[in-house]
């Protein structure tokens, strides 16, 4: 992924502390390790990952750790500034194409953090919390889980896809689709509301990726064929079937909450090839046939 050295970066879009605690359900997906998947596949109690107990010590102060990231040239000096570039580009895109867009933040944390959806740890993977409308990301995820454990090739485009997926949940939240899907209960399966929600976020991520370099002021200067391949590779790596095979040696479609590798690739491609988020209606009749 090529960055625009002349672009201005806005570090205020990065969070520096946790949100309030609450009872909303957090949504993962870019990582493929939503608490329900962790529970079903790795034998972990979801309540231990997002829920009860005292608020976590986030280890953060009031200072913004990304305050130095103010220009595209800063990415070469400090690689952590790439997270600001991803976030700025994603939010600039949605601000243009969705009139009801509400700007939020990406909170990068280490270890654990107190959020509007409860206390989260690195085990949860990246997630969106609708209670405080913040995207949360443990800084060890890309190396430790996405590449080492899930086998993805990684790279900046893969990281950007993961974050764009979580912002896709933010869009679904703003449009009301997230609440509608969650009101149907914790159903699972290839055509469940939960899977449709995750695939919609993949599609939204693809639509952003297709337009990431369209704005000359965007921090993203160019998206190459290799970038697209890395994003697709990451999407496939976090398919339910891939994760189930790695963890249990078998595939159980009836327990899927995110969709198969093929489904995730398909909907990321629909978003990218069309460049049009209106094509991301995974809840339409026959959309998953």
């Amino acid at each position: 992924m090529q960055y625009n050295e002349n672009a201005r970066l806005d570090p205020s879009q990065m969070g520096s502390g946790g949100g309030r605690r609450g009872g909303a359900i957090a949504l993962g997906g870019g990582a493929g390790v939503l608490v329900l998947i962790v529970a079903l596949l790795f034998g972990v109690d979801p309540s231990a990952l997002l829920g009860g107990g005292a608020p976590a010590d986030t280890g953060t102060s009031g200072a913004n750790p990304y305050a130095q990231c103010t220009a595209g040239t800063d990415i070469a000096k400090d690689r952590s500034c790439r997270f600001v570039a991803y976030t700025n580009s994603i939010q600039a895109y949605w601000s243009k194409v969705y009139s009801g867009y509400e700007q939020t933040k990406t909170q990068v944390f280490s270890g654990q953090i107190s959020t509007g959806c409860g206390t989260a740890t690195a085990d949860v993977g990246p997630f969106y919390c609708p209670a405080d409308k913040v995207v949360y990301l443990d800084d060890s995820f890309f190396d430790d889980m996405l590449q080492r454990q899930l086998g993805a090739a990684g790279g900046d485009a893969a990281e950007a896809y993961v974050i764009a997926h979580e912002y896709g949940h933010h869009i679904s939240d703003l449009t009301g689709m997230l609440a509608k899907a969650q009101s149907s209960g914790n159903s699972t399966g290839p055509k469940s509301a939960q899977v449709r929600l995750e695939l919609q976020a993949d599609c939204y991520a693809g639509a952003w990726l297709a337009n990431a370099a369209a704005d000359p002021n965007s921090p993203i200067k160019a998206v190459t064929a290799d970038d697209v391949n890395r994003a697709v590779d990451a999407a496939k790596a976090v398919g339910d079937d891939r994760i189930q095979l790695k963890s249990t040696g078998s595939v159980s479609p009836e327990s899927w909450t995110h969709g198969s590798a093929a489904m995730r690739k398909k909907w990321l491609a629909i978003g990218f090839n069309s460049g049009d988020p209106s094509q991301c209606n995974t809840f339409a009749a026959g959309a998953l046939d």
Side-chain angles (χ1 to χ4, degrees), residues 41 189-190 240-241 244-245 248 250-257:
L41 303 184
D240 283 326
D241 52 341
Q244 287 180 334
L245 280 173
T248 69
S250 62
V251 176
S252 302
E254 67 277 3
S255 66
W256 288 357
T257 57

Side-chain angles (χ1 to χ4, degrees), residues 66-89:
Y66 297 90
Q68 76 281 4
C69 304
T70 60
T73 52
D74 292 327
I75 299 172
K77 304 172 187 175
D78 183 349
R79 283 282 294 153
S80 68
C81 292
R82 70 192 188 278
F83 292 116
V84 183
Y86 305 154
T87 298
N88 287 177
S89 177

Side-chain angles (χ1 to χ4, degrees), residues 259-270:
S260 67
M263 295 168 77
R264 303 200 69 167
K265 175 184 176 180
K266 174 184 176 180
W267 282 97
L268 176 63
I270 288 174

